[in-house]
């Protein structure tokens, strides 16, 4: 064996094309080339612009929760681009494969749906929601940072290492074909030898370790770092959903870690957890995976519910309707999420009575979710509604999410599920929940809080255009799948039968392309807005007439967030302060502020984790040992560092705060009808 | 972030003897308890898997009653329980005495007992492998048996490394608040591993022999 384990030149994706110059291999090579070119282009830009130093000292080693949050979102968006491209290629293949083989091999198609699912869950949805909670939650509770800033950076580094592993798999070797849920025995060593499943195992394991740490960090932050007066029932609803999601992460990620590590032991060391024969128990994998997997669904959707709550309230100019019921509903969903995992495998041989129990539990989740929908609707009733991009997406979410929820109640019936299991009907259902619910929620959040993070709004017109492309694209891409599923179309098929499937598949392909176009417009919108940021600037920090504490800060907020920790005595404190005319008051006195100092430990751990994972995939044992030793050394060395904070002098805090407040106080307040124009500089005229 | 009233956290509190450290304890200790909770979920999942595979995963290989030997396991249990007691004495030394020597002494005794436990458990594994060919590759039952006890073994080993680092830090930094808080968290982990072991002793070894 060479020093590089199983790795060989022939594992390069380009070698595959040289061996067999088919369209199938050309697509794989093009994807690999795209990844390589993207990486090279990023390196060139960083070097030419001289951005290495600011990237290192301002971002990669930063422990500022806001910057870590932004890095999470960037990671999610980059991976989203890949996942959309994969979805479009899959639909194109199915379109081309009506009655003929199409241009992709079944094995290549298997890799595509596996990476698409894995990326969308672990490297798009999770980074987006983690990033947004990271940025927003400490601001909403009046804190200066999360409780464990270094752990926060380590979580990001582990997640990024997992994402890097997925990107490397485009160029070196093949990925798993076992789907995002990776069921054995198919993913065991007997049926899936080679590196593919190992890539999947380690990418997912790194991500789940990162999420476990994130969950603990957020939960402790929300319990322990709230500013004076911020009782639990005064927290903004987004923070409530962040709390529930964090609790779910703490409890639900461990089963996934155990399941993937057991699968790894089966594959690497010949254990018999999930093998066929020798006392292996494949059903145990299904149970463990979905014991994680179902709470995961709510880890994903709850923060989006939080975003929607903020959006409906802010853009209706009204306090949230039914706050307490929304909190209780959120908690109910969090608890119930642990009682329904079995509905993912109704057809796998339990007694009918067990299926019935889990079916009923599943339907129950519709109740608190329905409460939420009514609360959001009633928030808008008699509000002064402004159709900014987040609210446009929000209204669409209300309509489509209900459809998805109803199909979910259908699927919750085990007898119905026997007919629809693993069909395109199911694919339509969960995309119907996750795209309008989660993904649009995340994009609404990006539009909503972008001005807070960077000090300028995103271009409104382009935002509306991308929103409509997404909304239309979603309908075209997934509504036909309901019909196709009922017609007998199964999921994960490289080739569907000829006949009546063609027209509906064509619509679905069109929808996928529209979603891709919507993302392109979104990127264009980012680019255009950065170029014209002076025109869109909102330095006073309150572009949407916000209600919660984060809007009381400059945009972007200073590193320390609050010059003096605020005291609150009610919900929506900033809205109340504006109405009372006491917003933007200057603090009486300033104090030195201690903030976490930069640390290279997180990037070091991320690099070590990547080395370990890559070494494990290719059996490069010295690299594994080296990575583990480096990680241990980094952790121990860090515990000997005595200067982990740096002090920001009161005089500097005073200068920055008063510099901003003196301008913000005299700024002309912008009426809501001019919200989307250049007149909006971030000082809102209060609406009585 | 301390208020005037001292808030207390689960476990050993320093509010009467070292107010400065106590004021910094609340969120880190709470965070560590949460971390332990997540770790317990991990063990719970392993126990659940054991419950299933120790019954229907034997697959013609040795059954629990054939390979377990209570004598060795009982010694492991006694050694580990004693180490928990000495870790408690270390924590009391940390709380009530300013004398580092006593703390270091009890930590060393704890580490020695921990090392003995690891040795006894390792020897027990070797005996099973040698006398009964009971290696994890034989059956689903043995896979999860080694995974469950091995995960506990790895935790104790990691805690031993932690004790070593703490001994160095006590020597180098003295009893700074950071060092005290680390020892307090180490103690929580150590006791928790004891609790997990009691679960293993009961559900794996005692039940296994009874069957």
């Amino acid at each position: 064996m060479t020093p590089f384990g199983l790795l060989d030149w022939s594992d390069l994706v380009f070698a595959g094309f040289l061996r067999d110059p088919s369209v199938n291999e050309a697509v794989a090579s093009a994807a690999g080339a795209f990844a390589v070119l993207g990486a090279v282009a990023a390196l060139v830009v960083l070097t030419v612009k001289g951005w290495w130093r600011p990237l290192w000292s301002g971002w990669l080693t930063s422990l500022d929760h806001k910057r870590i949050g932004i890095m999470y979102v960037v990671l999610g968006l980059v991976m989203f681009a890949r996942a959309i491209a994969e979805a479009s290629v899959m639909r194109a293949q199915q379109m081309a494969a009506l009655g003929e083989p199409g241009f992709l091999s079944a094995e290549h198609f298997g890799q595509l749906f596996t990476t698409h699912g894995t990326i969308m869950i672990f490297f798009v949805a999770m980074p987006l929601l983690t990033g947004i909670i990271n940025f927003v939650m400490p601001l909403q509770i009046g804190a200066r940072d999360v409780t464990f800033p270094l752990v926060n950076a380590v979580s990001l580094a582990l997640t990024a290492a997992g994402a890097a592993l997925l990107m490397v798999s485009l160029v070196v070797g093949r990925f798993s074909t076992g789907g995002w849920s990776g069921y054995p025995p198919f993913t065991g060593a007997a049926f899936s030898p080679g590196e593919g499943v190992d890539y999947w195992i380690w990418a997912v394991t790194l991500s789940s370790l990162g999420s476990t740490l994130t969950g603990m960090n957020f939960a402790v932050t929300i319990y322990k770092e709230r500013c004076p007066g911020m009782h639990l029932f005064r927290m903004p609803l987004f923070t409530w959903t962040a709390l529930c999601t964090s609790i779910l992460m703490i409890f639900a990620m461990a089963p996934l870690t155990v399941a993937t590590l057991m699968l790894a032991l089966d594959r690497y060391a010949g254990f018999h957890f999930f093998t066929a024969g020798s006392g292996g128990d494949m059903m145990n994998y299904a149970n463990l995976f979905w014991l994680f997997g179902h709470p995961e669904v709510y880890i994903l959707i709850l923060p989006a519910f939080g975003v929607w709550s903020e959006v409906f309230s802010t853009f209706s100019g009204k306090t949230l309707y039914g706050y307490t019921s929304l909190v209780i509903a959120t908690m109910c969903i969090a608890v119930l999420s642990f009682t329904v995992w079995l509905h993912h495998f109704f057809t796998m041989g339990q007694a009918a009575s067990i299926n019935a129990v889990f079916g009923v539990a599943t339907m129950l989740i519709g109740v608190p979710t329905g409460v939420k929908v009514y609360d959001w609707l009633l928030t808008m009733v008699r509000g002064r509604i402004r159709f900014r991009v987040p609210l446009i997406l929000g209204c669409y979410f209300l309509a489509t999410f209900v459809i998805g929820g109803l199909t979910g109640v259908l699927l919750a019936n085990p007898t119905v599920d026997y007919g629809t299991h693993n069909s395109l009907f199911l694919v339509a259902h969960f995309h119907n929940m996750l795209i309008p619910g989660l993904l649009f929620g995340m994009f609404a959040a990006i539009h909503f809080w972008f001005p807070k993070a960077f000090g300028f709004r995103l271009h409104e017109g382009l935002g509306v255009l991308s929103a409509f492309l997404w909304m239309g694209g979603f309908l075209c891409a997934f509504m036909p799948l309901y019909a196709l599923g009922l017609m007998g179309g199964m999921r994960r098929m490289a080739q569907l039968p000829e006949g009546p499937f063609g027209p509906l598949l064509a619509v679905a392909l069109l929808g996928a392309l529209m979603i891709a176009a919507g993302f392109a417009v979104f990127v264009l919108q980012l680019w255009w807005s950065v170029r014209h940021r002076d025109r869109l600037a909102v330095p006073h920090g309150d572009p949407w007439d916000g209600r919660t504490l984060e809007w009381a800060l400059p945009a972007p907020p200073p590193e320390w967030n609050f010059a003096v920790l605020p005291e609150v005595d009610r919900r929506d404190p900033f809205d109340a302060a504006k109405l009372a005319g006491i917003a933007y008051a200057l603090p009486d006195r300033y104090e030195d502020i201690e903030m976490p100092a930069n640390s290279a430990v997180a990037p070091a751990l991320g690099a070590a984790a990547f080395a370990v994972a890559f070494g494990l995939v290719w059996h490069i044992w010295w690299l594994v040992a080296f990575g583990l030793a480096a990680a241990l050394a980094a952790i121990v060395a860090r515990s000997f560092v005595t200067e982990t904070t740096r002090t920001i002098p009161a005089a500097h805090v005073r200068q920055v705060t008063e510099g901003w407040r003196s301008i913000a106080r005299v700024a002309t307040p912008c009426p809501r009808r001019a919200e989307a124009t250049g007149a909006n500089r971030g000082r809102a005229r209060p609406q009585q | 972030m301390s208020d005037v009233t001292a808030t207390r956290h689960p476990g050993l509190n320093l509010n009467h003897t070292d107010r400065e450290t106590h004021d910094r304890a609340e969120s880190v200790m709470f965070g560590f308890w949460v971390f332990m909770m997540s770790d317990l979920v991990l063990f719970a999942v392993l126990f659940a898997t054991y419950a299933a595979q120790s019954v229907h995963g034997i697959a013609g290989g040795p059954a629990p009653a054939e390979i377990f030997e209570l004598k060795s396991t009982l010694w492991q249990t006694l050694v580990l329980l004693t180490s928990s007691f000495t870790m408690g004495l270390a924590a009391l030394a940390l709380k009530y005495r300013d004398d580092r020597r006593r703390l270091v002494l009890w930590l060393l005794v704890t580490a020695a007992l921990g090392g003995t436990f690891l040795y006894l458990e390792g020897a027990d594994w070797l005996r099973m492998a040698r006398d009964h060919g009971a290696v994890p590759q034989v059956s689903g039952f043995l896979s999860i048996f080694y995974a469950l006890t091995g995960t506990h073994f790895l935790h104790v080993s990691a805690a031993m490394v932690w004790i070593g680092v703490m001994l160095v830090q006590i020597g180098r930094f003295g009893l700074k608040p950071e060092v005290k808080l680390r020892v307090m968290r180490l103690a929580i982990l150590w006791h928790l591993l004891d609790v997990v072991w009691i679960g293993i002793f009961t559900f794996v070894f005692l039940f296994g022999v009874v069957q």
Side-chain angles (χ1 to χ4, degrees):
Chain A
M1 201 188 248
T2 70
F4 298 104
L6 304 177
L7 204 52
D8 190 83
W9 286 110
S10 62
D11 290 315
L12 276 181
V13 66
F14 312 113
F17 180 66
L18 293 178
R19 271 195 308 272
D20 164 30
S22 60
V23 182
N24 180 48
E25 290 291 342
V27 170
S29 287
F34 202 74
V36 172
L37 287 178
V40 170
L43 297 182
V44 167
V45 169
L46 286 171
T47 309
V48 170
K49 296 266 193 182
W51 283 348
W52 280 106
R53 188 174 292 276
L55 177 73
W56 178 256
S57 55
W59 292 88
L60 296 181
T61 59
S62 169
L63 303 190
D64 182 343
H65 71 94
K66 299 182 286 300
R67 297 202 161 201
I68 291 173
I70 291 166
M71 285 189 278
Y72 262 116
V73 172
V74 170
L75 175 70
L77 291 176
V78 169
M79 298 307 282
F80 186 44
R82 175 173 165 191
I84 292 187
E86 287 172 339
S88 309
V89 171
M90 282 190 283
R91 286 279 171 260
Q93 154 69 16
Q94 286 181 329
M95 204 45 226
L98 287 169
E100 43 191 307
F103 56 90
L104 289 185
S105 68
E107 124 93 32
H108 192 169
F109 192 84
Q111 290 183 45
L112 282 175
F113 67 66
T114 305
T115 45
H116 173 79
T118 308
I119 288 176
M120 283 308 296
I121 300 288
F122 294 103
F123 299 106
V124 177
M126 293 293 268
L128 285 181
L129 71 91
T130 309
I132 286 163
I133 295 175
N134 236 317
F135 184 89
V136 175
M137 178 270 287
L139 298 177
Q140 284 197 332
I141 61 172
R144 293 223 166 97
D145 208 324
V146 294
T147 307
F148 304 109
L150 180 63
V151 174
N152 201 12
V154 170
S155 307
L156 169 65
L158 292 177
T159 310
L165 203 62
L166 259 160
M167 293 314 280
V168 165
S169 79
L170 271 182
V171 184
V172 188
R174 303 275 147 138
F175 202 75
S176 166
T177 54
W180 86 278
S181 49
Y183 278 5
F186 178 75
T187 50
F191 300 102
S192 292
E195 70 280 5
V197 177
D198 298 331
Y199 264 127
W200 176 82
I201 287 175
W202 301 116
V204 167
T205 305
L206 286 177
S207 154
S208 78
L209 290 177
S211 298
T212 312
L213 296 175
T214 296
M216 296 188 239
N217 209 348
F218 286 168
V220 174
T221 303
I222 295 173
Y223 281 123
K224 296 294 178 190
E225 310 292 334
R226 280 168 286 132
C227 67
M230 181 63 80
H231 305 163
L232 284 173
F233 274 82
R234 287 179 187 161
M235 297 196 307
L237 210 89
F238 178 73
T239 298
W240 262 110
T241 57
L243 176 62
C244 292
T245 280
S246 311
I247 294 171
L248 293 184
M249 284 181 181
I250 294 167
F251 285 101
M253 302 313 291
L256 174 68
T257 312
V258 172
T260 53
L261 290 183
M262 283 176 170
L263 185 60
L265 282 172
D266 274 7
R267 293 176 57 83
Y268 284 83
F271 280 44
H272 292 289
F273 288 113
F274 311 127
T275 53
S278 298
D281 183 353
M282 294 150 258
M283 278 311 297
N284 190 34
Y285 182 90
N287 277 293
L288 290 180
F289 185 85
W290 291 111
L291 202 51
F292 143 78
H294 202 86
E296 168 72 11
V297 171
Y298 295 95
I299 290 173
L300 298 178
I301 202 70
L302 287 180
F305 285 172
V307 171
W308 294 127
S309 302
E310 305 290 318
V311 162
F312 285 121
S313 166
T314 305
F315 291 103
S316 304
K318 259 183 75 186
T319 190
L320 193 60
Y321 182 90
Y323 172 93
T324 312
S325 65
L326 278 167
V327 171
I328 293 172
T330 305
M331 280 312 230
C332 284
I333 293 175
V335 172
L336 285 175
S337 75
F338 282 101
T339 65
V340 299
W341 79 90
L342 197 131
H343 70 213
H344 294 273
F345 45 93
F346 276 147
T347 58
M348 284 160 80
Q350 300 76 223
S353 52
I354 295 179
N355 276 356
V357 169
F358 280 86
V360 170
T362 305
M363 292 177 200
L364 275 181
I365 288 194
V367 175
T369 315
V371 168
K372 287 182 167 231
V373 169
Y374 285 114
D375 280 335
W376 291 321
L377 285 171
L378 290 168
T379 300
M380 296 206 291
V381 168
R382 295 199 189 163
R384 293 183 202 172
I385 292 171
R386 291 117 57 201
F387 278 108
R388 299 286 84 77
V389 176
L391 195 72
I392 294 172
L393 290 170
C395 292
Y396 180 84
F397 152 77
L398 280 180
T400 47
F401 196 76
V402 170
I403 299 174
L406 289 175
T407 58
V409 175
L410 274 178
L411 286 168
N413 184 333
T415 35
V416 174
D417 189 68
Y418 265 82
T420 50
H421 184 76
N422 263 354
S423 73
L424 289 172
F425 189 87
L426 169 79
V427 175
H429 161 70
F430 69 73
H431 282 88
N432 196 339
M433 304 316 271
L434 289 178
I435 292 181
L438 164 83
L439 213 51
F440 290 0
M442 293 300 111
F443 279 99
I446 289 172
H447 278 91
F448 189 51
W449 280 298
F450 186 93
K452 178 51 61 185
F454 296 100
F456 56 96
R457 290 181 293 115
L458 288 171
H459 184 268
E460 195 69 21
L462 287 171
V464 173
L465 176 60
S466 75
F468 273 93
L469 279 169
W470 279 329
M471 297 189 301
F474 164 75
L475 284 179
C476 293
F478 293 101
M479 290 302 152
L481 298 199
Y482 280 123
L484 283 168
L486 293 179
M487 287 154 68
M490 299 309 285
R491 72 191 293 202
R492 295 176 175 166
M493 301 292 283
Q495 203 182 357
L496 289 162
E498 218 176 344
F501 284 36
L504 288 174
L505 276 176
V507 178
L509 172 62
L510 173 72
L513 295 177
M514 281 170 75
I515 293 175
F519 187 69
V521 173
F522 172 73
V523 173
L524 176 70
Q525 179 197 22
L526 283 178
W527 178 79
W528 197 95
S529 308
V530 171
R531 289 294 297 268
H532 301 88
R533 57 187 176 277
D534 293 342
R535 249 187 267 173
L536 299 165
V538 287
H540 309 317
D542 181 24
W544 313 123
D545 192 14
R547 315 177 67 81
T548 42
L549 284 179
E550 75 268 31
W551 303 108
L553 296 173
E559 184 194 348
W560 52 85
N561 296 350
F562 297 92
V564 174
L565 289 183
E567 275 193 47
V568 298
D569 53 6
R570 48 164 295 147
R571 279 175 217 145
D572 294 346
F574 184 54
D575 183 59
K578 283 187 287 187
L579 288 174
I582 54 170
Y584 307 103
L586 285 168
D588 318 331
R589 62 195 174 86
Y590 296 86
E591 285 177 347
D592 289 354
I593 297 176
E594 242 185 303
M595 294 304 293
N598 281 19
S599 165
V601 169
L605 279 179
F610 178 81
V612 172
F614 189 77
L616 282 166
V617 169
W618 292 103
H619 297 217
I620 311 172
W621 304 119
W622 61 266
L623 188 62
V624 178
F626 171 77
L628 287 174
L632 182 66
I635 294 169
V636 172
R638 165 73 185 186
S639 74
F640 282 87
V641 175
T642 46
E643 295 293 315
T644 55
T645 58
R646 63 195 181 82
T647 305
I648 297 163
H652 181 59
V653 178
R654 177 194 195 99
Q655 189 195 347
V656 171
T657 310
E658 296 189 350
W660 168 67
R661 293 241 168 134
S662 56
I663 299 171
R665 293 170 84 169
V666 297
T668 320
C670 166
R672 286 305 94 196
R673 62 189 146 71
E675 188 174 50
T677 69
N680 186 352
R681 308 294 285 176
R683 174 83 203 267
R685 179 187 293 171
Q687 309 177 83
Q688 288 297 344
Chain B
M1 311 288 137
S2 72
D3 293 326
V4 190
T5 52
T7 45
R8 312 236 301 162
H9 52 80
L12 185 85
N13 280 256
L14 298 181
N15 52 334
H16 293 305
T17 50
D18 180 357
R19 202 48 201 270
E20 188 202 345
T21 306
H22 182 73
D23 286 343
R24 297 169 59 172
E26 191 185 341
S27 48
V28 287
M29 299 308 286
F30 179 68
F32 198 73
W33 277 109
V34 174
F35 181 48
M36 290 294 94
M37 196 157 68
S38 171
D39 215 32
L40 278 183
V41 176
L42 187 142
F43 277 110
V45 170
L46 290 173
F47 272 113
T49 305
Y50 184 85
Q53 287 195 301
S54 64
V55 177
H56 64 58
I58 292 174
E66 293 169 43
I67 56 170
F68 294 161
E69 205 174 79
L70 276 190
K71 195 175 151 200
S72 163
T73 321
L74 181 65
W75 275 113
Q76 294 168 40
T77 308
L78 292 177
V79 167
L80 200 64
L81 287 182
T82 313
S83 81
S84 227
F85 178 65
T86 56
M87 182 58 98
L89 292 176
L92 290 179
L94 177 84
K95 180 170 179 179
Y96 290 111
R97 300 188 186 252
D98 226 5
D99 121 49
R100 273 192 246 169
R101 281 222 314 262
R102 196 175 285 258
L103 171 60
V104 168
L105 176 74
W106 286 124
L107 283 179
L108 282 172
V109 173
T110 308
L113 288 167
T116 311
F117 167 80
L118 293 180
Y119 169 79
L120 288 174
E121 186 169 29
D124 204 27
W125 285 342
L126 280 181
R127 178 190 60 75
M128 291 181 216
R130 198 184 51 230
D131 297 353
H132 304 279
V135 291
Q137 288 80 2
V138 169
S139 68
F141 152 60
L142 286 169
S143 294
I144 183 59
F145 168 72
Y146 282 100
L148 173 58
T149 50
T151 305
H152 181 265
F153 184 93
L154 281 179
H155 274 74
V156 177
S157 311
M160 298 273 290
V161 173
W162 191 348
I163 293 182
V165 173
M166 290 328 296
L167 289 172
V168 176
Q169 292 197 347
I170 292 169
R172 187 156 162 190
F173 302 128
L175 291 177
K176 287 201 311 181
E178 286 89 348
V179 176
K180 281 189 174 178
L181 290 173
R182 283 175 195 149
V183 174
M184 284 159 69
R185 279 174 281 173
L186 169 63
I188 292 177
L189 172 66
W190 198 269
H191 296 313
L192 189 105
L193 291 177
D194 227 28
V195 172
V196 171
W197 180 259
I198 290 172
I200 292 178
F201 182 61
T202 312
F203 293 113
V204 175
F205 291 103
L206 290 184
F207 277 38
V209 172
V210 168
Q211 284 160 5

